[in-house]
Amino acid sequence: MTYIIAEPCVDVKDRTCVEVCPVDCIKESPDGSSKMLYIDPQECIDCGACVPACPVEAIFPEQEVPEKWKGYIPLNYQFFGRNYS
């Protein structure tokens, strides 16, 4: 399982989650142009450390992403060039 960052992160990009991630799997575009942060689904170790660190409550276990934000699941995968199936 992986964690997913959803809409509450858009235009916020608070990096507290990045600081607590033990495997450095939370990224944004190298030039800083992305509107949010993303979690690499292959690097995420499912530790959950990022969830309580997020001040806008934008991070969810993939299976628990609220219905209204399910569209962010494939976005997290695609950001890293990974297929979502």
Side-chain angles (χ1 to χ4, degrees), residues 1-2 11 14 20 30 34 39 49-50 61-62 69 74-75 78-79 82:
M1 181 177 77
T2 188
D11 292 327
D14 180 275
V20 299
S34 56
I39 296 176
C50 56
E62 185 173 336
W69 295 325
L75 292 178
Q78 293 164 359
F79 182 81
R82 313 229 191 271

Side-chain angles (χ1 to χ4, degrees), residues 6-82:
E7 184 176 299
C9 184
V10 173
D11 292 327
V12 175
K13 296 194 296 188
D14 180 275
R15 288 171 174 58
T16 307
C17 59
V18 175
E19 295 168 14
V20 299
C21 179
V23 294
D24 193 32
C25 69
I26 304 172
K27 310 280 184 193
E28 68 174 305
S29 58
D31 64 0
S33 65
S34 56
K35 295 179 71 80
M36 60 181 279
L37 301 173
Y38 300 88
I39 296 176
D40 188 324
Q42 287 190 327
E43 290 183 17
C44 179
I45 60 170
D46 189 28
C47 70
C50 56
V51 176
C54 181
V56 294
E57 298 179 5
I59 304 172
F60 304 89
E62 185 173 336
Q63 292 83 358
E64 297 176 23
V65 174
E67 190 63 39
K68 64 185 174 182
W69 295 325
K70 292 266 188 214
Y72 285 86
I73 298 172
L75 292 178
N76 277 255
Y77 280 79
Q78 293 164 359
F79 182 81
F80 296 97
R82 313 229 191 271

